[in-house]
Amino acid sequence: QVQLVESGGRLVQAGESLSLSCIFSGSTFTNDILGWFRQAPEKEREFVAAVMWSNVNTYYGDAVKGRFTVFRDNAKNTMTFQVRSLTPEDTAVYYCAAQRGAGAPTAEHDYDDWGHGTQVTVSL
C-alpha cells in the first residue's frame, strides 16, 4: 500500500500559477504510476495528469493539456504538479493517486491508493 499526502492548494486569482505536491511513501515499484485527479463541486472526479516512474511518459487530461506539468522525484518521494493560467473552472479538490502499473494511467478505477485531497479555489 502507498500512502499519499497532497499539499499546496489555496485560493488564487484567475491567471495565476500554482504548484501542488504529493508526498508518497510505502510500497512503491519501478513500474508504478502516480496520477492527479480533481473533483469540482457537484461534478464527477476527472483525470488530470499522470506520470510513470521514470518521468519519460506523462499523460494529461484535455482540460489541462498545455497548462499543467507533472513530474516526480523518486529520490525525494515527491510528485509535483505545476499549474498555469488558472481559471475558475479549475476550482476543485485535487487528489493524488497511485497504481501498481497494470492499468490505464487515465482510468480512475485502476488506481489503488488515494490521498485525501487539497483544495484549489480560483477567483476572478
Side-chain angles (χ1 to χ4, degrees):
Q1 187 176 7
V2 178
Q3 291 77 46
L4 305 151
V5 179
E6 306 93 335
S7 64
R10 59 184 177 89
L11 173 64
V12 297
Q13 291 189 328
E16 290 187 356
S17 300
L18 192 64
S19 182
L20 303 180
S21 295
C22 173
I23 297 176
F24 55 93
S25 60
S27 300
T28 58
F29 305 88
T30 55
N31 64 338
D32 71 4
I33 300 172
L34 295 179
W36 284 98
F37 290 78
R38 68 183 183 184
Q39 186 166 21
E42 300 181 356
K43 292 187 177 180
E44 294 186 353
R45 191 153 56 184
E46 67 170 342
F47 169 76
V48 178
V51 58
M52 308 293 281
W53 175 272
S54 63
N55 277 314
V56 172
N57 294 321
T58 56
Y59 308 84
Y60 296 95
D62 290 338
V64 305
K65 199 171 293 183
R67 296 190 298 125
F68 291 11
T69 303
V70 64
F71 58 92
R72 60 192 287 177
D73 184 338
N74 295 317
K76 296 181 179 179
N77 283 9
T78 301
M79 176 174 62
T80 301
F81 191 36
Q82 295 178 335
V83 298
R84 302 177 296 276
S85 303
L86 287 161
T87 72
E89 287 68 39
D90 295 315
T91 294
V93 177
Y94 284 73
Y95 297 91
C96 175
Q99 61 160 288
R100 305 291 185 264
T106 62
E108 178 181 352
H109 62 265
D110 282 340
Y111 283 81
D112 304 293
D113 302 294
W114 293 82
H116 293 293
T118 186
Q119 176 72 48
V120 174
T121 302
V122 184
S123 64
L124 289 171

